[in-house]
Amino acid sequence: MDHRIQQLNYHPLIPIKQQSKKTVDHTGPSFKELLGNTIKEDTTLKISKHAEKRLTERNIKIDQELWNKIEQKVHEAKGKGVSDSLVVTDQAALIVSAKNNTVITAMDRMEASSQIFTNINGTILI
């Protein structure tokens, strides 16, 4: 038995006909526009049922201007790597998941002064 490598006849590849390029329809929104819309939606804070109940029980009222400011600051904190934050305002303290853009719970400032907050990796003072 011969252990040498057997040479095979060389057959060059037959060129394959080039396929015609398909044209792409660019009439829809661009990727940048779609991405921008997604980012805008992600900055809106949602309020969990638990937080909504606490806001009502404790008679905490937050006007739209303050909500906008809180949303902006939470978005900034998220950009810096904060996942869960304590947001302190003049009248309330909110625990916010920056990762999910959700207010988890709320308490008034008097109640917050006697609490210990754990699993928070950022604080926002407004």
Side-chain angles (χ1 to χ4, degrees):
M1 179 187 298
D2 189 9
H3 296 291
R4 290 179 286 174
I5 297 176
Q6 302 282 328
Q7 286 190 356
L8 298 175
N9 292 334
Y10 176 71
H11 298 287
L13 293 176
I14 301 171
I16 300 173
K17 293 182 182 178
Q18 292 185 352
Q19 297 176 353
S20 63
K21 293 184 180 180
K22 295 180 182 179
T23 58
V24 179
D25 184 18
H26 291 291
T27 58
S30 69
F31 178 75
K32 186 176 181 180
E33 290 170 348
L34 291 173
L35 184 61
N37 291 340
T38 303
I39 292 171
K40 288 177 186 171
E41 291 172 8
D42 288 349
T43 60
T44 304
L45 281 180
K46 297 174 283 252
I47 302 173
S48 69
K49 289 183 180 184
H50 175 78
E52 190 173 345
K53 181 179 176 184
R54 296 292 181 250
L55 288 167
T56 304
E57 284 176 354
R58 296 166 176 151
N59 198 25
I60 300 171
K61 307 253 187 276
I62 300 176
D63 63 5
Q64 188 60 44
E65 183 181 337
L66 185 56
W67 272 119
N68 292 340
K69 190 180 277 189
I70 292 170
E71 285 177 347
Q72 177 187 1
K73 293 298 183 182
V74 168
H75 182 67
E76 285 178 34
K78 184 177 182 178
K80 294 182 178 185
V82 173
S83 59
D84 295 302
S85 64
L86 169 65
V87 178
V88 181
T89 67
D90 290 339
Q91 58 178 317
L94 310 169
I95 302 296
V96 179
S97 170
K99 181 171 44 175
N100 301 326
N101 292 328
T102 305
V103 178
I104 297 170
T105 193
M107 60 196 79
D108 61 22
R109 283 291 299 267
M110 292 301 293
E111 183 182 4
S113 65
S114 63
Q115 297 295 321
I116 296 173
F117 300 97
T118 59
N119 298 327
I120 303 300
N121 65 349
T123 303
I124 301 169
L125 301 174
I126 298 179

